[in-house]
Amino acid sequence: MTKDEFPSSILFHYPILKLLADGKVHNRAELLEATIKVLISESLQKTVTSGGKNKLQSWNNFAIQDLKKADYIVHYGKGYIITESGKAFFAAHKDGFLANALTESESYKKYKHMGEYKKDKNKDTPSKPQPEETQKP
């Protein structure tokens, strides 16, 4: 990926956690700036989603939400701070990670599982396989 291509949303987690690894409180604007420095060229900063929202801000917000659900960061005052579990996770992934690494967190797995459950509830099919009827010869 070059800085001329809009990055996948899964790449936004790392720069946010890396900034927060300093143990200080950082506001949303600082977290956004951290992702811009690493991932986004100036020409792509105004890219919008199909719904008309700023893609950079949306992806950043999704990453913050994921890291909160993993209990790696928490809202603190007017910003965010890394948790002890976030520090341990980052120490184990200093060279980078993808979103699926967040499943190391039990709370993140529960959060994702609940989302899958809600999706299943909206379908016409049952969320669990139904036992097959036994066929009589």
Side-chain angles (χ1 to χ4, degrees), residues 20-105:
L20 290 170
D22 68 4
K24 298 176 183 173
V25 177
H26 293 278
N27 64 33
R28 209 172 268 270
E30 292 170 311
L31 300 179
L32 185 62
E33 185 61 35
T35 59
I36 289 171
K37 284 181 184 176
V38 176
L39 298 173
I40 308 290
S41 67
E42 190 173 327
S43 63
L44 292 175
Q45 291 179 25
K46 299 216 185 286
T47 303
V48 294
T49 65
S50 59
K53 294 183 179 180
N54 181 283
K55 196 170 188 177
L56 172 60
Q57 290 177 346
S58 293
W59 268 215
N60 213 57
N61 290 340
F62 290 140
I64 290 168
Q65 175 77 4
D66 284 347
L67 292 169
K68 283 173 49 182
K69 292 297 183 181
D71 290 330
Y72 294 154
I73 68 173
V74 293
H75 192 261
Y76 187 83
K78 293 184 177 184
Y80 297 89
I81 193 165
I82 194 167
T83 62
E84 289 302 316
S85 58
K87 289 176 188 175
F89 177 81
F90 187 73
H93 297 88
K94 280 192 179 218
D95 294 328
F97 59 91
L98 294 178
N100 64 350
L102 296 180
T103 59
E104 293 174 22
S105 163

Side-chain angles (χ1 to χ4, degrees), residues 112-122 127-128:
K112 281 306 205 182
H113 177 69
M114 187 54 132
E116 291 168 10
Y117 174 75
K118 285 180 182 177
K119 286 180 192 173
D120 285 340
K121 294 287 276 187
N122 293 331
S127 59
K128 293 184 180 179

